[in-house]
Amino acid sequence: QVHVVESGGGLVQAGGSLRLTCQDPRVILSVFSSDNMAWYRQSPGKIRELVALITSGGGTNYAASVKGRFTISKDNARKRMYLQMNNMKPEDTGIYYCNIERRGSSYWGQGTQVTVSS
């Protein structure tokens, strides 16, 4: 059973930083290493959008709105994936969801709230 857990959300002022963490506490290393993972966010009144993704091979892709400010990374040894968010803007406010693609299936966490004040 896949259990996706996000953490690290909170309130930050514009220009500040946060780091989000995503993990599946029960996964074994060999499986986690093969996962493709991503962060999505849903802002008030908007549909859920892709923020950043990282493949099992380490390739990354970012939404244009966060490129140069956010960095996605994956620590296979610790079985964790991170989203480092710098120079944050009020429009980054939303619920951030971790997505794991594992063996052809997609799994979502419950989300973590990020609020950026101006």
Side-chain angles (χ1 to χ4, degrees):
Q1 185 175 0
V2 181
H3 185 53
V4 184
V5 180
E6 303 109 332
S7 61
L11 174 64
V12 64
Q13 288 187 333
S17 299
L18 282 175
R19 188 177 78 162
L20 305 183
T21 300
C22 175
Q23 58 182 315
D24 173 7
R26 304 170 190 170
V27 70
I28 62 175
L29 179 57
S30 60
V31 172
F32 183 85
S33 298
S34 300
D35 289 342
N36 295 318
M37 302 180 72
W39 288 98
Y40 287 74
R41 71 183 175 198
Q42 187 159 16
S43 303
K46 297 184 178 180
I47 62 172
R48 192 175 296 188
E49 62 174 350
L50 176 67
V51 175
L53 65 85
I54 186 165
T55 68
S56 59
T60 59
N61 197 17
Y62 297 91
S65 61
V66 307
K67 196 171 293 185
R69 300 187 297 121
F70 290 11
T71 303
I72 190 170
S73 61
K74 195 177 176 201
D75 185 338
N76 288 330
R78 300 190 68 187
K79 297 185 290 183
R80 294 183 179 181
M81 185 266 284
Y82 304 101
L83 184 68
Q84 178 67 43
M85 305 184 289
N86 298 327
N87 190 22
M88 297 186 71
K89 303 176 180 180
E91 50 263 43
D92 294 322
T93 294
I95 302 174
Y96 283 68
Y97 297 91
C98 177
N99 175 264
I100 297 177
E101 287 189 357
R102 178 176 297 164
R103 295 172 173 172
S105 296
S106 183
Y107 304 92
W108 294 90
Q110 293 297 308
T112 184
Q113 176 70 45
V114 171
T115 303
V116 185
S117 63
S118 57

